[in-house]
């Protein structure tokens, strides 16, 4: 599906939402109590340019995050999952 994309539009938005929902569901299946899960997914088209994504948060000593990236000759994607401790 992604190999045939020549222009990004609503398809990329829907795909990023689906990926974020799937990640959130899988993390919640781990049944980690007292943590709020926030997932951010970015998908972009490579057109001879570079992209750098960063994130800053005010963390407690129990908060954490995980990140995963993918790229090929046409697209790049990054998913960041935040686990925020709540009392």
């Amino acid at each position: 599906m992604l190999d045939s994309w020549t222009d990004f539009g609503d398809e990329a938005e829907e795909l990023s939402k689906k990926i974020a929902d799937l990640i959130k569901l899988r993390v919640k299946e781990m049944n980690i109590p007292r943590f709020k899960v926030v997932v951010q997914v970015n998908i972009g088209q490579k057109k001879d340019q570079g992209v750098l994504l960063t994130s800053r948060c005010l963390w407690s000593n129990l908060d954490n995050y995980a990140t995963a990236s993918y790229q090929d000759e046409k697209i790049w994607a990054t998913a960041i999952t935040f686990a925020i401790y709540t009392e």
Side-chain angles (χ1 to χ4, degrees):
M1 177 179 145
L2 297 177
D3 293 336
S4 64
W5 283 359
T6 56
D7 184 28
F8 275 30
D10 293 339
E11 290 179 56
E13 180 181 349
E14 288 302 314
L15 181 60
S16 64
K17 286 179 183 178
K18 287 179 184 178
I19 292 169
D21 289 342
L22 180 60
I23 292 170
K24 198 173 197 178
L25 178 67
R26 295 287 171 92
V27 170
K28 286 186 177 186
E29 287 175 356
M30 296 169 64
N31 204 16
I32 305 169
R34 305 184 87 172
F35 279 87
K36 179 172 177 66
V37 177
V38 178
V39 178
Q40 177 182 350
V41 174
N42 298 286
I43 300 175
Q45 188 175 17
K46 290 173 93 173
K47 288 190 172 184
D48 298 326
Q49 18 184 0
V51 175
L52 177 64
L53 296 173
T54 62
S55 179
R56 281 185 107 173
C57 298
L58 181 59
W59 295 106
S60 77
N61 61 344
L62 298 172
D63 298 341
N64 214 336
Y65 73 97
T67 183
S69 298
Y70 170 83
Q71 67 177 330
D72 64 17
E73 60 277 346
K74 295 187 180 190
I75 66 161
W76 59 267
T78 300
I80 306 171
T81 304
F82 301 94
I84 302 152
Y85 185 74
T86 58
E87 289 189 32

